[in-house]
Amino acid sequence: MSAIVSVRGAVKEYALGAVKVQALRGVDLEVGEGEFLSIAGPSGSGKTTLLNLIGCVDTATSGVVQVAGKDTASLSERQLTELRLNTIGFIFQSFNLVSVLSVLQNVELPLLLQRRFSGKERHDRVLDLLGRVGLADHAKHRPSELSGGQRQRVAIARALVTRPQIVLADEPTANLDSVTGENILALMRELNRTERTTFIFSTHDAKVMAHASAVVRIADGRVLGREAPAAAQAEGH
Amino acid sequence: MFSTLRVLVQIAFRNLFASRLKTAIVGGIVFFGALLVTVGGSLLGSVTGGMARSITGTLAGDVQVYGASSKDDLAIFGGFGDQNLAQIDSFETLKAVVEKVPNVARVVPMGISGALVTSGNTIDLVLEKLRNAVRKETQGDRSPALLAEIEAQKEHVRQMVQVLEGEQKNLVALVDATKLTQEDRDNAMALARAASPQFWADFDRDPLNALEFLENKIAPQSTDADMLMLRYVGTDLSAFGRSFDRFRIVDGKPVPPGKRGFLFAKYFYEDRIKLRTARRLDKIREALSVKGQTIASDPDLQRMVHENERQTREILLQLDPTSTRNMTKLLRDELGSKETDLGRLLASFFAMDDASFERRYHFFYDRLAPMLELYRIRVGDTLTIKAFTKTGYSRSINLKVYGTFEFQGLEKSPLAGSVNLMDLVSFRDLYGFLTPDNQKEVARIEQAAGERAIDRAHADDELFGGDSKADAAQAPPAPPPMPKEAMPAVSAPLEKLHRDDRAARDYDPAELEKGVVLDAAVVLRDHSKVDQAIRDIGAATKRAGLDVKAVSWQDAAGIIGKLVMTFRLVLYLAFLVIFLVALVIINNALVMATLERVREIGTLRAVGAQKTFVLGMLVVEAATLGGVFGGLGAGVGALVVALLGAQGIPATSDVMNFFFSGPRLYPSLAPATVALAIAIVLVVATLSSFYPAWLAMRVSPREAMASDE
């Protein structure tokens, strides 16, 4: 299992007025291809900051962050954007769908940005993914017409439509009730298996962690340890 | 690059209604902006077109040619007072050159000038009739008809004296006796004498002496004489009629070719020559029937009614005793009044309100008007025009008034109706053109002034004479011989004879072509190619060595022509201000909309949209909004213009007739205006999106993440 994400000694400092806040105080993390990794920790532990570094939406103050074999510190803003577009899919806590666009258009958006595919190809891929997240009938709906769980399914479809190597999910179930959250996790897990896509998601919910292949515990900007949850062990991972 | 744009437009269209507030504000402003430009631009275009037709179709033609060394610019509709224009010595030469320019249809000789005309007061006119009758009597005519006429005229004069005396008494009653001037007292004494039975008993013994007293002491007291400022164009009247197809004779007939004559502009004739009371009645009637105003509600109409009540003297002075009796009876019956004073009867008759107006209007025209002279100068009368020549001497000429004219569609326009027409030969006489020889002679005479006893008033005649050197040199078929004014000082009667003779004198139509003009109106075949024609005419005249310049009708029309430019400037300035304000408002709305979209923009950046994409997205969105609502606005604007075009906008004032080139303006849509409207709003919308787009560009993709830090 080769590492698709490699973080070594990552430090992230924020200036909060005159005070410097260290969100990450030297984090080391290796994520293998095809993992279904959960980053767990309480609020303010640095989960989101770590995900931001891995997702190339932020850069480390010091340390090394390698994503898909590339050292993000050496990439320009433009190249980082390219990397996000082609290599990483994002699932957000509050879904972040574009409200004026239909379900189909929301999912199509990254493909439009890639400018690689014809209309027909885009359409086929979007419908295929909507079928897999169980929303084939809702392609023409607006996000506002969907439930929270349905919206997060759309977000999952959008994250996977470019066939990224990594999907990052920041508290994907935080805004959902527990049953829906379970379902969303199950769907992500299934896609992780069928597509061989690496999933990294943050959570502070023990039930959610139970789905992960591995859990990295983080607190006060430091990695406490990596463990295999009981459920994952039970599945024989 | 192209595919990026396609994606941008695609997303922009999808986001068109992303923010209702943004759409409402930006869309609304853009919509009305485009509407405004479309309607405003089309109206302006139509008014410009209307004015163009008014100006080119009446006097100016498409192009005007005048002396290049003129000190002033030509201003056909310009203010009063003569412009200092260099004369063009031979119209014939100019015409030959200009007519060869391909687009030129006609070349009409012209000169524009103005003069003061004294119309003579009513007493003067009656006294003149009386003097003529008395003269016949002294020459031995003893016919009963003549004697009856003399008696009737005498009665009329006595009545006038009474009217004036009544006024004088009113004045004395009003004013403190100590404030009366010596002149007032002299006037009162003269009136008392003229009103006395003794004066009239003595009249027959020495009528000429009595007449002189009346002419010198009484007539000047009646101030109804009017100095008329007469603006006229001297031209080849037949060519004028042929070249300006809106021209038509209303009363009388055209001046026959070869005859000297004068034509009044109908509007001027009605406005300035007609009995003022009657003119006011006409105006009130038009306001009531056409414009739907009421006397009760309109202060202007009330003012006119009051003026009619107060200013009855103009009518009273016109009436001889018989007419006075007749009118008094008519009015007593009509008004059911026992009043015996005609002045008071007229005052109560003219105190009209909305209910009585129509009946009394018709009563005035059907019953009273036949006893009155409605026009101070009638068609067929001879008009004495006194003008100052270029050499500074006054020159007068008698011209027969052949009729009145108007320009079709511009009947009610004071501007088109302010310029009267006369034959070019008379114009030349009045203007006092100078040939190089004359100019030398003027210098010589001025030098020799004092050596020769020249009556200044007749120096001009000395110079040019009735058949001046200029005339003699340039008009081969010599006019009928004139009594050469060889006498150093010409007596008044002789000058009058000279005037009358001039009026009677015919001229050879060829004289029109050969002589001097001030300017020439050029009518083109293709009216749209004025600039080209000006260049061609300029080149042709230059080749021919003529010292003239050609200008467009806009330039030639003086202030009026510049009005078009001013309108345009004002409108564009208004557009500029409106769109600057719009720019700020749209910018604000877009900034607010952008701030609302920070998370969405962050998400776009996170999932892989480049900064430039976000920038482009916002700009294209604004432009799309501008295009869509601008198109809608321009469309509705076009509809409004079409509606106005079908209905027509009525000219609410007389002046507007000129701008509208008729009683209604039918605006038509200019495609260029629609394009301009859309282009402007597109530019404005795009410009106002730059700042918010720049803000959006700086939104970090981290904004997409729910921050729990």
Side-chain angles (χ1 to χ4, degrees), chain B residues 367-387:
Chain B
R367 313 295 297 275
L368 306 185
M371 291 181 236
L372 298 168
E373 208 64 90
L374 279 181
Y375 296 92
R376 278 186 283 169
I377 303 162
R378 285 168 304 184
V379 170
D381 282 355
T382 299
L383 181 69
T384 303
I385 300 171
K386 191 168 191 170

Side-chain angles (χ1 to χ4, degrees), chain B residues 556-599:
Chain B
I559 300 164
I560 300 298
K562 297 196 173 59
L563 261 182
V564 179
M565 279 296 283
T566 313
F567 280 169
R568 205 176 286 266
L569 215 71
V570 167
L571 192 78
Y572 287 170
L573 219 68
F575 283 166
L576 192 76
V577 171
I578 289 168
F579 281 114
L580 275 179
V581 173
L583 198 92
V584 173
I585 298 175
I586 294 176
N587 173 69
N588 276 339
L590 290 180
V591 167
M592 280 166 63
T594 304
L595 293 181
E596 280 176 9
R597 288 170 72 186
V598 162
R599 176 168 289 246

Side-chain angles (χ1 to χ4, degrees), chain B residues 122 411 471 499 538 706:
Chain B
T122 328
E411 295 85 353
D471 280 358
R499 284 201 310 236

Side-chain angles (χ1 to χ4, degrees), chain B residues 237 247-256 260-270 273 377-383 399-406 419-422:
Chain B
L237 289 168
F247 172 86
R248 69 173 173 220
I249 296 288
V250 187
D251 309 307
K253 55 176 186 177
V255 180
R260 286 160 177 268
F262 191 86
L263 292 172
F264 271 112
K266 178 69 177 169
Y267 186 92
F268 183 87
Y269 191 63
E270 288 290 318
I273 310 293
I377 303 162
R378 285 168 304 184
V379 170
D381 282 355
T382 299
L383 181 69
L399 278 180
K400 185 179 172 188
V401 177
Y402 275 88
T404 64
F405 71 93
E406 66 188 11
V419 183
N420 307 288
L421 290 175
M422 72 166 66

Side-chain angles (χ1 to χ4, degrees), chain B residues 601-620:
Chain B
I601 292 162
T603 307
L604 279 173
R605 293 280 287 118
V607 302
Q610 296 287 358
K611 281 182 168 186
T612 48
F613 181 90
V614 172
L615 179 86
M617 185 179 81
L618 275 260
V619 172
V620 170

